[in-house]
């Protein structure tokens, strides 16, 4: 090893050790004090920080004192409904301080809150609600119509509470006491009790409801507070959906446990981003890779050089834009991470190596067992050797990332908490991997690892692809397509579009006759969230199937939406005209040149 390589490795190991130690030091007390759950921790923080702003938004600002007071009211609302310990309330609300106050209050009263994706409607929304069998649903008035569209498809009968109307739940809780719950009111809670359901598409099928117990809530908050070195003087800019773990637990919790402030924006806006960051004097922001690409492609502004940011933390920042993004916007430090809401695999790139999602030095491999195993793309399962065991990947070889499941009360981070549906949980467990009887969590992500131990994301496994920072379930999209009169079959997949993060949705459909494309477009826009609607359609003959009767996708993905590679009619959902346009050579050239915003 040359002298320069030695010092580079020493520097990287030092940076990794410092970041890992901060995170570990913050999270170590969680298992040692199992009755100190997040609501109790937040009450302690509120005692110290009182009238300091906790959550800041365009609509309202809640101080620490006001946040806890409002959460106490929602806790008493839950108790007034005789909500049993673990009983579920669904919450469907855009980003706003009230969102956090609601679930914080309900979980302090022993309930569990399912955070519904605000883009959903109709059958997909009904599926997510039925999955957790709630007794109540709280919905913001601006999303009430989406919930109405799901009612006919529900098999459960929760009571609906609207927030923001003259007789809404917010009016009801205003009359309740905001003092802390008494010992008689407060249920006995531990870190093992369920707190939230957070939905994830995973790698197959419809959305799954991941179990998030109080331990995971605490780990997300305290662990990331350590990762980012959060302090009371920090302000976090959070424009990510609060129904996801990153926007709703990491970005908020990591600051709140330290007495910092969180600036909440309802939706990301590239044009308003830097103005917000500068005006609110933010020092941190949480990102997903697509957000960074949008900012890099936006026109320069004066504010982009006036900010006080010291750190950006997130996942999915592509290696081809990382250096340019960091240089143009003068971001002192970027921490990329990899984690799954329901899983036990977490990686951090403390060293700022572009493209890497994290690493595990060899000294830590035994303590945090993450492995890559060879993967058979055709059957979508890890490869087994002659003895029936999985095969570890060599450096540079792509395989599926897995994490060993450890059911040890002293190591709760090694557990797999699973989903609301037991069958969904079992499908994510890989057994007899390296020894008889062992069990590992399947991430559903293909990665490669270099000789230094850095992991690099390659692709998703199975029926899911990412677009606009969201997981798109192809069975969900296919179901929406085949529900349209005249469509007999559909094969949904993601295709790469130059200059865009992830894969854009495309579907090859088999129709019985001439399709009314305008009616089909209206049908899809009514049933699917924007990121899941296929941008490209291909009208084909019979679908080719594998031996296990799954539609073949590899050739279709390779051909994409290029009219030169197929004789099948191709169509593009043109956002300018609001119609499906036939794709010819000229339109194809416009799309790949980036002249049409997708």
């Amino acid at each position: 090893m040359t002298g320069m390589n030695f010092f580079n490795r020493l520097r990287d190991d030092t940076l990794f050790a410092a970041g890992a130690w901060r995170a570990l030091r913050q999270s170590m007390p969680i298992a040692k004090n199992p009755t100190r759950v997040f609501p109790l921790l937040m009450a302690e923080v509120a005692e110290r920080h009182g009238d300091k702003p906790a959550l800041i938004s365009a609509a309202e600002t809640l101080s620490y004192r006001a946040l806890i007071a409002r959460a106490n009211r929602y806790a008493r609302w839950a108790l007034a409904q005789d909500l049993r310990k673990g009983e579920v309330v669904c919450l469907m609300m855009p980003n706003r301080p009230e969102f956090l106050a609601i679930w914080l209050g309900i979980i302090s009263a022993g309930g569990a809150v399912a955070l519904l994706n605000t883009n959903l409607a109709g059958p997909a929304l009904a599926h997510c609600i039925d999955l957790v069998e709630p007794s109540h649903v709280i919905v913001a008035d601006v999303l009430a119509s989406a919930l109405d569209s799901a009612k006919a498809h529900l098999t459960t009968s929760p009571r609906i509470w609207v927030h923001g109307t003259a007789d809404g739940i917010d009016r009801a809780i205003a009359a309740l006491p905001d003092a802390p719950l008494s010992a008689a009111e407060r249920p006995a809670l531990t870190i093992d009790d369920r707190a939230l359901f957070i939905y994830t598409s995973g790698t197959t099928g419809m959305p799954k409801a991941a179990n998030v117990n109080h331990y995971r809530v605490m780990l997300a908050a305290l662990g990331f507070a350590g990762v980012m070195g959060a302090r009371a003087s920090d302000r976090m800019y959070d424009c990510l959906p609060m129904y996801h773990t990153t926007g709703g637990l990491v970005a908020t919790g990591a600051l709140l446990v330290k007495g910092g402030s969180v600036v909440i924006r309802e939706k990301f806006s590239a044009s308003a981003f830097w103005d917000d960051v500068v005006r609110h004097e933010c020092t941190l922001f949480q990102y997903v890779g697509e957000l960074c690409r949008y900012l890099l492609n936006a026109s320069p502004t004066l504010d982009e050089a006036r900010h006080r940011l010291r750190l950006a933390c997130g996942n999915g920042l592509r290696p081809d834009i990382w250096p340019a993004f960091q240089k143009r916007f003068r971001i002192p430090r970027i921490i990329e991470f990899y984690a799954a809401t329901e899983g036990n695999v977490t990686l951090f790139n403390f060293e700022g190596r572009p493209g890497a999602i994290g690493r595990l030095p060899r000294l830590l491999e035994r303590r945090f067992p993450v492995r890559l195993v060879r993967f058979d793309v055709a059957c979508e399962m890890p490869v087994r050797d002659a003895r029936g065991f999985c095969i570890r990947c060599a450096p540079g070889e792509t395989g599926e990332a897995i994490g060993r499941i450890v059911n040890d009360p002293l190591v709760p981070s090694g557990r797999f908490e699973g989903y609301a549906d037991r069958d969904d949980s079992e499908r994510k467990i890989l057994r007899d991997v390296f020894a008889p009887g062992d069990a590992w969590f399947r991430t559903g992500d293909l990665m490669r690892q270099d000789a230094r131990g850095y992991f690099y994301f390659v692709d998703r496994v199975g029926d899911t692809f990412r677009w606009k920072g969201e997981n798109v379930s192809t069975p969900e999209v296919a179901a929406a397509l085949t529900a349209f009169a005249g469509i007999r079959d559909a094969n949904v997949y993601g295709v790469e579009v130059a200059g865009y993060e992830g894969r854009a949705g495309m579907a090859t459909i088999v129709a019985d006759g001439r399709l009314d494309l305008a009616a089909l477009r209206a049908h899809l826009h009514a049933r699917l969230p924007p990121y899941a609607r296929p941008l490209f359609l291909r009208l084909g003959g019979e679908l080719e199937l594998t031996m296990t009767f799954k539609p073949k996708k590899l050739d279709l993905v390779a051909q994409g939406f290029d009219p030169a590679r197929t004789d099948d009619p191709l169509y593009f959902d043109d956002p300018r005209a609001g119609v499906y346009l036939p794709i010819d050579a000229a339109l194809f050239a416009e799309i790949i040149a980036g002249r049409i915003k997708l």
Side-chain angles (χ1 to χ4, degrees):
M1 182 186 298
T2 67
M4 184 60 70
N5 285 338
F6 172 80
F7 283 111
N8 285 342
R9 178 164 292 191
L10 181 64
R11 178 204 63 196
D12 287 356
D13 286 348
T14 302
L15 288 169
F16 184 93
W21 171 242
R22 285 198 309 269
L24 193 61
R25 184 176 57 189
Q26 291 293 323
S27 57
M28 279 173 61
I30 302 175
K32 294 181 180 179
N33 192 356
T35 60
R36 187 173 182 250
V37 292
F38 189 67
L40 293 179
L41 173 58
M42 285 306 305
E44 295 169 9
V45 176
E47 282 291 319
R48 294 195 299 271
H49 294 281
D51 294 324
K52 180 181 179 182
L55 303 172
I56 302 166
S57 76
E60 68 171 337
T61 293
L62 289 182
S63 68
Y64 277 90
R65 197 186 317 278
L67 170 61
I68 295 303
R70 194 167 297 180
N72 289 338
R73 287 192 169 108
Y74 279 106
R76 287 197 167 83
W77 168 85
L79 293 173
Q81 310 312 311
D82 293 323
L83 205 69
R84 300 183 307 276
K85 187 175 178 180
E87 193 171 342
V88 180
V89 177
C90 285
L91 174 60
M92 190 173 187
M93 180 173 282
N95 283 11
R96 57 185 64 169
E98 193 84 4
F99 183 95
L100 197 145
I102 290 173
W103 70 250
L104 181 61
I106 293 173
I107 70 170
S108 71
V113 183
L115 309 181
L116 296 173
N117 186 325
T118 56
N119 292 289
L120 298 180
L125 177 57
H127 164 81
C128 291
I129 294 172
D130 287 338
L131 202 56
V132 296
E133 300 179 334
S135 54
H136 303 272
V137 176
I138 300 173
V139 60
D141 57 344
V142 294
L143 296 171
S145 60
L147 182 60
D148 287 341
S149 72
K151 288 179 179 177
H153 307 281
L154 287 172
T155 58
T156 53
S157 302
R159 183 176 177 183
I160 309 300
W161 301 77
V162 179
H163 182 282
T165 60
D167 56 350
I169 187 174
D170 44 326
R171 305 285 181 174
I173 68 115
L176 297 173
D178 64 5
L181 297 184
S182 67
E185 291 175 301
R186 189 178 296 279
L189 294 173
T190 75
I191 57 175
D192 291 322
D193 289 316
R194 179 181 297 143
L196 302 171
F197 279 114
I198 295 181
Y199 294 85
T200 172
S201 295
T203 56
T204 57
M206 294 284 278
K208 303 174 183 66
N211 289 311
V212 179
N213 59 16
H214 283 269
Y215 170 78
R216 285 186 175 268
V217 174
M218 291 282 278
L219 185 65
L222 290 170
F224 275 89
V227 166
M228 293 186 274
R231 41 191 184 247
S233 57
D234 277 323
R235 284 194 167 195
M236 167 70 78
Y237 186 67
D238 183 14
C239 57
L240 301 179
M242 291 178 72
Y243 56 76
H244 279 331
T245 306
T246 305
L249 283 184
V250 173
T252 54
L255 270 290
L256 293 177
V257 296
K258 291 298 180 180
S261 302
V262 183
V263 177
I264 298 171
R265 185 178 176 88
E266 185 170 319
K267 291 183 179 180
F268 166 70
S269 167
S271 60
F273 185 92
W274 294 111
D275 174 66
D276 283 349
V277 167
V278 171
R279 180 159 43 88
H280 291 291
E281 300 182 317
C282 295
T283 56
L284 308 169
F285 84 89
Q286 198 80 36
Y287 69 81
V288 292
E290 188 76 348
L291 180 154
C292 299
R293 187 186 64 80
Y294 280 131
L295 291 175
L296 195 59
N297 289 340
S299 300
T301 69
L302 293 175
D303 282 332
E304 70 183 47
R306 293 173 175 170
H307 64 77
R308 297 174 53 196
L309 291 172
R310 66 173 180 85
L311 179 96
C313 179
N315 57 288
L317 183 54
R318 290 181 355 204
D320 56 323
I321 71 168
W322 183 319
F325 177 80
Q326 188 166 17
K327 181 179 180 181
R328 172 179 163 182
F329 299 120
R330 304 177 187 178
I331 310 294
R333 191 168 180 216
I334 294 174
I335 296 179
E336 175 86 1
F337 72 89
Y338 170 88
T341 297
E342 72 280 29
N344 58 2
V345 176
T346 304
L347 299 165
F348 292 99
N349 176 359
F350 292 111
E351 302 91 321
R353 178 176 290 252
I357 59 174
R359 76 179 180 114
L360 281 176
R362 290 181 180 177
L363 291 174
L364 294 178
E365 279 192 347
R366 294 189 66 179
R367 182 168 183 149
F368 302 98
V370 179
R371 304 288 184 266
L372 299 186
V373 292
R374 290 183 183 174
F375 187 79
D376 186 332
V377 176
C379 67
E380 298 181 354
M381 285 295 291
V383 175
R384 301 271 182 170
D385 63 17
R387 299 174 301 163
F389 297 134
C390 294
I391 304 167
R392 286 194 67 176
C393 292
E397 185 179 8
T398 296
E400 183 178 2
I402 59 175
R404 185 159 63 88
I405 298 172
V406 180
N407 292 313
D408 183 343
L410 297 178
V411 191
S413 60
R415 297 199 307 238
F416 168 47
E417 303 300 339
Y419 305 97
D421 186 285
R422 290 186 178 181
D423 290 338
D424 285 340
S425 300
E426 186 58 33
R427 280 190 286 268
K428 292 290 283 186
I429 300 175
L430 196 61
R431 301 187 186 277
D432 302 322
V433 177
F434 301 117
D438 67 353
W440 294 67
F441 168 73
R442 295 189 63 188
T443 64
D445 288 323
L446 299 177
M447 303 180 190
R448 61 180 175 83
Q449 188 178 18
D450 66 17
R452 293 282 306 279
Y454 288 95
F455 288 84
Y456 298 84
F457 180 83
V458 175
D459 208 348
R460 298 287 289 168
V461 169
D463 291 331
T464 299
F465 58 91
R466 288 185 71 80
W467 179 245
K468 303 295 185 184
E470 298 274 359
N471 287 342
V472 180
S473 168
T474 56
E476 178 185 346
V477 180
L481 283 162
T482 53
F484 185 77
I487 294 182
R488 181 157 35 97
D489 213 345
N491 187 1
V492 180
Y493 44 95
V495 293
E496 292 183 347
V497 183
Y500 282 85
E501 175 87 14
R503 298 183 179 226
M506 184 168 182
T508 294
I509 56 180
V510 179
D512 289 325
R514 183 178 178 85
L515 279 177
D516 183 342
L517 291 175
L520 173 60
R521 185 179 186 276
H523 167 86
L524 293 176
H525 278 239
R527 294 175 69 96
L528 295 171
Y531 60 81
R533 298 166 191 159
L535 279 173
F536 306 104
L537 295 181
R538 174 172 172 168
L539 306 187
E542 295 298 321
L543 299 181
E544 291 188 58
L545 303 177
T546 66
M547 292 182 66
T548 55
F549 304 103
K550 292 182 179 180
K552 291 185 177 180
K553 299 186 179 186
L554 293 180
D555 290 342
L556 295 174
V557 170
Q559 292 163 10
F561 56 97
D562 184 351
R565 303 194 65 177
T566 177
D567 293 327
D568 290 339
L570 300 170
Y571 294 89
F572 168 57
D573 188 354
D574 192 331
R576 304 166 302 180
V579 296
Y580 280 118
L581 292 180
I583 301 177
D584 56 17
L587 180 55
F588 177 76
E590 274 195 276
I591 296 170
I592 62 172
R595 290 193 288 271
I596 301 176
K597 184 179 179 181
L598 303 185

